[in-house]
Amino acid sequence: MENLVGFFECKVDAKGRLSLPSDLKKQLGDQYDKPFILKRSLFQPCLEIHPMESWEKISEKLSKLNRFVQKNNEFIRRFTAGVKKTEIDASNRLQIGKELIAFAGIQKDVVLNASIDFIEVWEKEAYEKAVNNNEIDFAALAEEVMGNSWDQNVS
């Protein structure tokens, strides 16, 4: 699977089914025919679609946490809350559970934002508010996160 890129406007039907755009399908390659993991986002009111290959890397990191440390257990419980394993159906749709739709406030119009190794699913208006948030100085954020990181690991 290559790095996922792109912004796609889509619709979720009344039964919570989402058709993935053909460009995204191409980018997913052989991962398209494997199960996906749907989960709540950690920091935003949106959902995440993880191809199984991406999710397995996350699971590997989680499995290394010491479960005899209470904060590790709390983190794993909250991080995996509402996680659903799903597959693309015969009509090329992904089923989103009602509890996940409620969490993200999804009505009908959604935005899929490809985010390198997973896909964010946003209610369209919430996405617009998040990316156009003037309270965040994006230039300062970019400098803090990416400044001087080209010759070292990004932290």
Side-chain angles (χ1 to χ4, degrees), residues 48-85:
E48 298 173 358
I49 301 172
H50 290 266
M52 192 53 69
E53 182 179 288
S54 169
W55 183 253
E56 287 170 351
K57 291 176 185 175
I58 293 168
S59 293
E60 185 176 326
K61 289 180 182 180
L62 291 175
S63 72
K64 292 179 181 177
L65 294 175
N66 182 344
R67 298 299 294 258
F68 288 98
V69 175
Q70 185 175 358
K71 68 180 177 181
N72 293 351
N73 263 340
E74 282 296 321
F75 173 77
I76 292 169
R77 182 177 305 111
R78 289 177 181 228
F79 184 78
T80 60
V83 168
K84 300 283 184 200
K85 187 176 184 179

Side-chain angles (χ1 to χ4, degrees), residues 131 133-147:
V131 296
N133 183 348
N134 293 327
E135 294 176 16
I136 297 172
D137 181 347
F138 186 68
L141 178 63
E143 182 177 4
E144 182 180 337
V145 172
M146 299 300 293

Side-chain angles (χ1 to χ4, degrees), residues 15 18 26 38 46 48 51 87 99 109 115 121 144 150:
K15 295 182 179 180
L18 169 69
K26 289 176 194 171
L38 278 169
C46 68
E48 298 173 358
E87 295 185 28
E99 67 284 348
D109 295 320
S115 189
V121 181
E144 182 180 337
W150 297 115

Side-chain angles (χ1 to χ4, degrees), residues 10-13 105-110 123:
C10 303
K11 297 196 182 295
V12 172
D13 71 15
I106 293 172
Q107 301 296 318
K108 183 177 183 180
D109 295 320
V110 296
E123 192 281 326

Side-chain angles (χ1 to χ4, degrees), residues 3 33 66 87 120 129 135 140 151:
N3 286 340
D33 297 322
N66 182 344
E87 295 185 28
E120 293 177 328
K129 285 180 185 176
E135 294 176 16
D151 295 328

